[in-house]
């Protein structure tokens, strides 16, 4: 439960910063980051690059900007990028890749959204005057459907990209959740991409921001794109200080969110009308359907909110409840109890 008394299961983006983060914000040494003067941001970027195994990193205001900069630094206007049809870059970034980078998006329907290297290879354009050039392959890990992509598949995609001389961008918004599931450090995942976006403000609980990491020359280019997009900020140390704690202190507790998601799935499975997607329980998300009349399901978020529980509407017929730092097991018990009461 958060300090306002809500059991907020809509996303891990709703997490409030820890007390340590708030104190670090107060004490942060700051400067004008457009002049590279903000030592706290410089330290965040250095540390992030180190743990991600990249030459350099850039603090950006959001994961969306991190991904869009990824597309911008790798592509030329008129090119095509290859990505899964459920990719955040395609579905949830307002079509930005087309608007900002001027690229088209070749989307592929993968089984369970797990990349299929053969389908990616088939999507790469031949050298043909009638066709756009393929400019980039994008991956996501963890996936937004609650699964983690195995490292062997990421390796295959990286190899095929290298064979075609194509760069790879990884949307690693939840790369730390993927790392916990795989039992590896984040470098073991980011090694399969040239550039990576990592969100600080999801399960890691920082109030704002993402990291865009990659080779030094691309980070220099990213810095300029960030300025063009209006993301050149000034005393960013106030945000970088909690961001640094997010990277240093918070990954160590993500296994609790994963265990709580398993617990929530078990409790929900006990309800007759609920069908939990048991095969998509790798991280901190539980997906389920509810077998009840449409009228009740349409009212469900409102009925739950009246009981202090926040849930998003269904997406593609599925409910998604997300565990995070501000959710205890007792909150999950209460949420499942209230859902059971409503469903009758
Ligand atoms: C997989 C994935 N990528 C990128 C983002 C974008 O992050 P932001 O909301 O900070 O723009 C999200 C946000 O939920 C996400 O789930």
């Amino acid at each position: 439960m958060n300090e306002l008394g809500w059991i907020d299961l809509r996303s891990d983006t709703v997490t409030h910063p820890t007390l340590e983060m708030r104190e670090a914000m107060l004490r942060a040494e700051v400067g004008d980051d457009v002049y590279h003067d903000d030592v706290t941001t410089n330290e965040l970027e250095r540390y992030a690059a180190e743990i991600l195994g990249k030459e350099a990193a850039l603090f950006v205001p959001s994961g969306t900007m991190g991904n869009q900069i990824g597309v911008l630094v790798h592509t030329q206007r008129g090119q095509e990028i290859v990505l899964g049809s459920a990719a955040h870059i395609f579905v949830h970034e307002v079509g930005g890749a087309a608007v900002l980078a001027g690229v088209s998006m070749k989307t592929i329907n993968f089984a369970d959204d797990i990349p299929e290297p053969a389908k990616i290879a088939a999507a790469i354009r031949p050298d043909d005057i009638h066709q756009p050039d393929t400019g980039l392959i994008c991956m996501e890990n963890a996936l937004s459907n609650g699964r983690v992509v195995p490292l062997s598949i990421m390796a295959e995609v990286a190899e095929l990209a290298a064979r075609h001389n194509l760069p790879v961008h990884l949307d690693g918004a939840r790369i730390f959740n993927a790392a916990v599931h795989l039992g590896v450090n984040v470098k073991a995942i980011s090694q399969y991409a040239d550039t990576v976006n990592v969100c600080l403000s999801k399960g890691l609980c920082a109030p704002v921001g993402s990291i865009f990491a990659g080779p030094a020359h691309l980070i220099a280019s990213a810095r300029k794109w960030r300025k063009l997009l209006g993301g050149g900020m000034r005393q960013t140390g106030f945000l970088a200080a909690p961001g640094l704690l997010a990277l240093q202190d918070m990954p160590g507790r993500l296994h609790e969110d994963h265990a709580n998601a398993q617990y929530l799935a078990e409790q929900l499975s006990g309800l007759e009308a609920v069908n939990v997607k048991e095969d998509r329980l790798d991280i901190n998300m539980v997906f389920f359907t509810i077998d009840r009349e449409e009228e009740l399901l349409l009212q469900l978020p409102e009925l739950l909110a009246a009981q202090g529980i926040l849930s998003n509407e269904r997406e593609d017929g599925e409910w998604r409840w997300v565990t995070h730092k501000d959710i205890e097991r007792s909150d999950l018990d209460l949420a499942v109890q209230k859902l059971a009461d409503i469903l009758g």
Side-chain angles (χ1 to χ4, degrees):
M1 192 176 289
N2 67 24
E3 65 244 28
L4 302 174
W6 292 102
I7 297 174
D8 195 342
L9 297 164
R10 291 172 301 171
S11 177
D12 46 11
T13 57
V14 303
T15 43
H16 290 194
T18 61
L19 185 61
E20 291 77 13
M21 287 178 177
R22 290 167 197 250
E23 285 170 357
M25 289 173 86
L26 194 65
R27 285 195 312 270
E29 199 180 327
V30 298
D32 187 330
D33 185 53
V34 175
Y35 288 109
H36 294 262
D37 284 352
D38 192 285
V39 290
T40 311
T41 303
N42 294 344
E43 174 54 14
L44 170 67
E45 292 173 346
R46 188 206 61 74
Y47 182 77
E50 181 186 311
I51 61 171
L52 289 164
K54 301 296 178 201
E55 272 176 8
L58 186 71
F59 181 56
V60 293
S62 68
T64 299
M65 192 186 286
N67 281 334
Q68 291 303 317
I69 287 177
V71 178
L72 284 160
V73 298
H74 287 297
T75 60
Q76 299 294 321
R77 191 172 177 76
Q79 286 187 329
E80 183 171 73
I81 67 173
V82 177
L83 70 180
S85 56
H88 195 275
I89 292 175
F90 177 59
V91 183
H92 293 289
E93 298 187 8
V94 209
V99 177
L100 300 168
V103 296
S104 49
M105 288 178 265
K106 174 96 171 173
T107 57
I108 307 177
N109 290 319
F110 297 127
D112 301 322
D113 301 333
I114 303 276
E116 292 171 77
K119 286 189 183 174
I120 296 176
I124 296 171
R125 300 281 188 173
D127 184 11
D128 177 335
I129 196 170
H130 303 93
Q131 298 190 30
D133 290 332
T134 303
L136 174 68
I137 296 172
C138 298
M139 283 195 274
E140 196 172 291
N141 211 3
L143 293 165
S144 315
N145 71 1
R147 285 185 172 216
V148 169
V149 179
L151 290 180
S152 57
I153 291 186
M154 294 193 74
E156 271 187 70
V157 174
E159 277 162 31
L160 100 86
R163 269 203 310 280
H164 289 85
N165 215 9
L166 286 172
V168 175
H169 172 71
L170 172 64
D171 179 357
R174 294 187 181 81
I175 194 173
F176 283 95
N177 297 87
V180 166
H181 176 75
L182 294 167
V184 299
N185 60 34
V186 283
K187 255 187 224 184
I189 303 174
S190 55
Q191 67 172 324
Y192 297 118
D194 299 277
T195 56
V196 57
N197 160 59
V198 178
C199 289
L200 304 174
S201 64
K202 298 195 162 62
L204 301 184
C205 306
V208 174
S210 276
I211 290 292
F212 178 72
H217 72 284
L218 291 183
I219 298 306
S221 158
R223 195 174 284 277
K224 193 148 184 175
W225 279 117
R226 185 187 66 175
K227 191 81 180 80
L228 180 146
L229 295 170
M233 299 176 289
R234 304 300 178 169
Q235 285 71 35
T236 45
F238 293 121
L239 299 176
L244 197 52
L245 291 180
L247 291 180
Q248 289 170 338
D249 296 349
M250 303 312 277
R253 59 156 306 287
L254 288 180
H255 66 275
E256 294 172 28
D257 298 343
H258 293 198
N260 281 343
Q262 298 280 343
Y263 177 79
L264 173 60
E266 280 161 28
Q267 302 308 306
L268 285 170
S269 299
L271 306 187
E272 198 207 316
V274 173
N275 174 21
V276 174
K277 306 292 162 189
E278 305 279 355
D279 57 341
R280 288 197 262 131
L281 272 175
D282 290 348
I283 56 169
N284 59 335
M285 297 178 177
V286 182
F287 293 85
F288 55 98
T289 54
I290 303 178
D291 189 14
R292 275 288 183 276
E293 60 280 9
E294 187 59 17
E295 208 184 331
L296 177 64
L297 297 181
L298 285 172
Q299 292 170 9
L300 193 54
E302 210 178 308
L303 294 170
L304 286 165
Q307 303 292 327
I309 295 146
L310 297 180
S311 165
N312 278 332
E313 304 278 351
R314 285 163 293 177
E315 200 172 319
D316 297 331
E318 289 182 356
W319 302 88
R320 183 192 75 165
W321 282 6
V322 183
T323 58
H324 51 77
K325 170 185 72 68
D326 299 332
I327 296 289
E328 308 282 334
R329 286 220 172 172
S330 54
D331 299 329
L332 297 174
D333 290 334
L334 194 66
V336 174
Q337 182 56 54
K338 296 293 181 194
L339 178 64
D341 293 346
I342 292 168
L343 297 180

